[in-house]
Amino acid sequence: MNLQARPARIDDAAAIAGIYNEGIADRIGTFETTPRTPEQIASWFDGRHPIVVVEDDTGAVVAFASTSAYRDRECYAGLAEYSVYVARTRRGEGAGSAAMIALIEAATAAGFWKLVSRIFPENAPSLALMTRMGFREVGTYRRHGKLDGQWRDCVIVERLLGDATCSYP
């Protein structure tokens, strides 16, 4: 199977929503509980934060990775939060890796110096993928939020990009 990553377009919003909604339903990748519409996904396209999709041989979108603002303060303009989701039936086939490689390249080209995220400790495939992609575990937020009435922890991960990867003096 050939997987091809590319920058996402507004007309990918329905496919992205479908994949994200599977992640919401699976309760392993996000605190969100309300399915997203294509219109809500379209609002992610702000011209600043890269979004990529991965297509299979048929042109179907099977994964996406996106960035969003980390904080509103100007001093954090070079940091982006990120997410990556793979269609339920396509997990374990390399689509997540393809999405993350493309997102790291796009975020670097967009001038970001760091990507950060939070991952549920139970999401072993995502934690393993981030390790393979060069992310480091910074720590764990204890009881970061509730999902379906249950406290959940989050592992904090980060990866430096561009000139931020240079050695400390």
Side-chain angles (χ1 to χ4, degrees):
M1 166 192 8
N2 185 30
L3 297 172
Q4 186 68 36
R6 63 166 174 80
R9 302 180 302 257
I10 292 277
D11 64 347
D12 294 316
I16 293 170
I19 294 167
Y20 188 45
N21 289 340
E22 288 179 354
I24 291 171
D26 292 345
R27 298 296 201 263
I28 190 89
T30 180
F31 283 106
E32 299 294 343
T33 58
T34 304
R36 296 298 188 262
T37 65
E39 294 77 22
Q40 289 170 315
I41 300 301
S43 72
W44 296 358
F45 290 82
D46 63 5
R48 168 76 175 121
H49 295 91
I51 305 171
V52 300
V53 294
V54 176
E55 296 177 327
D56 66 11
D57 290 335
T58 71
V61 173
V62 299
F64 77 91
S66 62
T67 58
S68 60
Y70 172 71
R71 298 281 189 272
D72 290 339
R73 295 173 55 197
E74 182 62 30
C75 61
Y76 295 124
L79 280 75
E81 291 197 47
Y82 76 91
S83 296
V84 58
Y85 288 86
V86 178
R88 193 180 286 138
T89 61
R90 305 307 292 272
R91 294 177 188 159
E93 298 177 3
S97 293
M100 285 306 302
I101 290 167
L103 188 71
I104 289 165
E105 291 173 0
T108 302
F112 290 100
W113 63 76
K114 184 188 284 192
L115 292 176
V116 297
S117 194
R118 292 163 311 281
I119 302 169
F120 292 145
E122 302 83 13
N123 193 343
S126 186
L127 289 169
L129 172 61
M130 294 312 118
T131 297
R132 289 193 309 274
M133 294 292 116
F135 286 80
R136 76 178 189 104
E137 292 185 12
V138 176
T140 301
Y141 285 131
R142 299 276 309 174
R143 296 187 172 200
H144 196 60
K146 286 188 177 183
L147 180 61
D148 297 328
Q150 299 296 313
W151 285 111
R152 300 293 297 271
D153 295 346
C154 290
V155 177
I156 309 151
V157 297
E158 71 175 3
R159 178 176 163 156
L160 299 175
L161 307 174
D163 65 1
T165 62
C166 297
S167 298
Y168 290 109

